C-alpha cells in the first residue's frame, strides 16, 4: 500500500486534483510528500500518515485501488505549517 500511495501522491494529475479540492498549492503537496519525507520519518509516523491519508484500500486480482482522504492531506499540510 505504501508504494502505491507514494505513486499516487507523486502523480501530477492526482496532485492537481487534490490541490483544487483542498485549495492547497500543488508544489506544497509535492514537496510535503516527497521521497525524502518517507525516508526520514519513523515507522510509527509512517503508520500515522497512512491512516490520515488512506480512506479505503480495495484489492482485486492484479489490481489495487486506494481512495485518498483529501482532508488528511490538508490536515498534514496545516500541521506542517504550524496552523
Amino acid at each position: 500500500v505504501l508504494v502505491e500511495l507514494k505513486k499516487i501522491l507523486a502523480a501530477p494529475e492526482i496532485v492537481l486534483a487534490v490541490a483544487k479540492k483542498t485549495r492547497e498549492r500543488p508544489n506544497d503537496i509535492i514537496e510535503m510528500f516527497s521521497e525524502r519525507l518517507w525516508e526520514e520519518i519513523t515507522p510509527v509516523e509512517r503508520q500515522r500518515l497512512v491512516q490520515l491519508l488512506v480512506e479505503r484500500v480495495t484489492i482485486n486480482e492484479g489490481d489495487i485501488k486506494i481512495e485518498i482522504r483529501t482532508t488528511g492531506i490538508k490536515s498534514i499540510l496545516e500541521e506542517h505549517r504550524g496552523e
Side-chain angles (χ1 to χ4, degrees):
V1 173
L2 186 58
V3 171
E4 292 301 316
L5 183 58
K6 289 180 192 180
K7 287 180 190 176
I8 290 168
L9 293 170
E13 66 277 8
I14 301 294
V15 171
L16 288 174
V18 169
K20 185 176 181 180
K21 189 165 186 173
T22 61
R23 298 178 190 239
E24 296 287 347
R25 292 181 8 188
N27 285 348
D28 291 344
I29 296 168
I30 291 167
E31 288 173 21
M32 181 69 219
F33 299 104
S34 69
E35 188 61 36
R36 194 178 94 218
L37 167 78
W38 301 105
E39 291 171 357
E40 292 179 355
I41 61 176
T42 66
V44 171
E45 292 168 323
R46 193 174 298 122
Q47 180 182 358
R48 179 177 173 266
L49 280 181
V50 170
Q51 288 173 340
L52 285 169
L53 294 171
V54 176
E55 178 72 33
R56 179 179 308 141
V57 177
T58 306
I59 300 172
N60 296 313
E61 189 174 321
D63 185 36
I64 183 169
K65 182 178 179 181
I66 299 174
E67 293 181 37
I68 300 294
R69 270 191 197 119
T70 53
T71 56
I73 291 174
K74 186 159 186 70
S75 172
I76 292 165
L77 289 167
E78 289 171 351
E79 185 178 311
H80 181 70
R81 288 191 298 255
E83 295 178 4

